[in-house]
Amino acid sequence: MKFEDYRISAQIKSQLKVLGFNKPTDIQFKAIDPILKGEDVLAIAQTGTGKTAAFVIPILEILEKKKSRGKQTEGVKCLVLAPTRELAIQISKVFESIGQNLKVVSACIHGGVEQDPQIAQLNKGVDILVATPGRMFDLVSQGHLNMKNLEILCLDEADLMLDLGFYKDIQDLLKHIPKHRQTLFFSATITLKIKKLAYSVVKNAIRIQISPKNPVAKNIDHAVVFIEMDDKRFFLENVLKEYEESKFVVFVRTKIRAERVVAAMERVMLKTEFLHGGVEQQERFAILDRFRKNENRVLITTDVAARGIDIPDVDYVINYDLPDVSENYVHRVGRTGRGNKRGQALSFCSKDEMVFLEDIEEYTGEEIQRFELTNGEYEDILGATDDGSYNWKKLIDEEGGGDEW
Ligand code: ADP
Ligand code: MG
C-alpha cells in the first residue's frame, strides 16, 4: 500500500511526496489506521523505522478534519512530549513539514531559552504543541497553557517519559487534561514494568504494534572490542583517522569525559565537538546543526543525544564508554542505520565495563559480535598515535595493559 491510497487529505499526501515518503514503513502501516480511528496505541518499533511520521500523519489528519469543519474549541488539542529539547524541535519540524499546507498550527516549547516568544506564539493559537515537560509545566502553572480541551496526548520515547524522573510529571499532567482523550505511546524499547505503567495511564485497551525480539535495529552491524580504559583515546584516534570521510557519534559516560575526549583528539589534530547537558542551550542547537550540516563530522556526546535524534547520514556510532542502562545501548546504536540505510556501531569495553556488556547482551538476547585484536595489533594502534606525550611502551610495561585484551 502506498500513501497515495490512504484516505488522508491531499495536502498531507503532497507533502509526503515532497519528503520522498512513498510507502509507509511497517510501523506507519500498523499505527496510522488505529490512530485515525481514535484508538489508544502503544507502539514499539525499532530505532529509525519512522515512528515520528507514524503519529504525525494521523494526528494532523484528525485535527485538520475537525478544523476544516469549523469544530474549534479553545486551547491546545494535541500535546506531544519528548525527553530532550533537541528531540522536541526535531518532532516539531516533522509536524511543520508534513503539515505545511494545513490549517492546523503546531508549535514547540522547551526550556533553556526565553519563554516570552513561546508565550506570544501560544497566545496566537496553537493546535499541536510539542514540548519538553519542564517548560510545559512552567507555562501551565503561569496560566499560559490551556489544555482543558486536549484531545490527543502523545509520548515519544514513552518508556523514558514514564520512567523515574518524568513519571511524576506525567501524573501531574493528567490532572490538567481531560480524562476522555486519545493516548499514544511510541518507543523502541519498553520494559514490563513500564508497560504496566503505560496501561495504568490509559484505562482502555491499547495495541502493541511491533515488538521485536532483539530491539537493536536489524540494519545496524554492531560489535564490541576490548580496550583498557586508558587506551581508549588511541583507539578512537585510530578509527577517526582511518575513516576520515565518515560521520561519527561517540557516546561517553559523563560531561567531563566528553570534554576530555575532545581535548585528547585535539592533541592529535582531530577536530571534534562535544555536546552535553551542561552546554548552554543555543550552543547545543548550534553544535547539532554543525554536525547535521557536516561542518563537524565527529560528535562526542553523553546520553543527551541518545534518544530520537535523526541525522540520516551518521556512518558510525562508537560507544567510547558502555552505557550502564541497557536500553540506552539500543538507543545509542540507533543513531545510525536510519531508515533504509545501514549503520555500524562499535563499543569499547574495558575490564570494568564487562558487567555492563553482560547486562546489555542479556537485554538484547544476543551475544554482540567480538572484534578480535591480537596483542600485536593492539600495540600497533597504541604505537601509531600522534600524541607525542605518550610513551606507550612505558605504560604497557608498568601496567601490563594490552596483554589480556
Ligand atoms: P524513529 O522515530 O522510529 O527512530 P524517525 O521517525 O526519526 O524514526 O524516522 C527515521 C528516518 O526515516 C527519518 O529520516 C525519516 O525522514 C525517514 N522516514 C520516515 N518514514 C518514511 C517513509 N515512509 N519513507 C521514507 N523515509 C521515511
Ligand atoms: Mg523517534
Side-chain angles (χ1 to χ4, degrees), residues 273-308:
E273 290 200 295
F274 60 79
L275 174 74
H276 59 62
V279 178
E280 196 262 322
Q281 191 57 50
Q282 291 302 348
E283 183 57 15
R284 262 169 69 171
F285 293 142
I287 292 164
L288 205 57
D289 213 38
R290 286 196 287 274
F291 186 60
R292 238 179 244 284
K293 290 183 186 149
N294 276 327
E295 289 164 16
N296 164 43
R297 71 172 180 105
V298 185
L299 185 69
I300 318 273
T301 184
T302 57
D303 280 318
V304 74
R307 291 250 182 182

Side-chain angles (χ1 to χ4, degrees), residues 3 20-21 23-25 28 46-52 310 312 338-339:
F3 279 124
F21 292 13
K23 262 179 47 192
T25 63
Q28 290 162 4
Q46 293 170 326
T47 55
T49 56
K51 291 189 287 297
T52 319
D310 179 55
R338 312 290 299 166

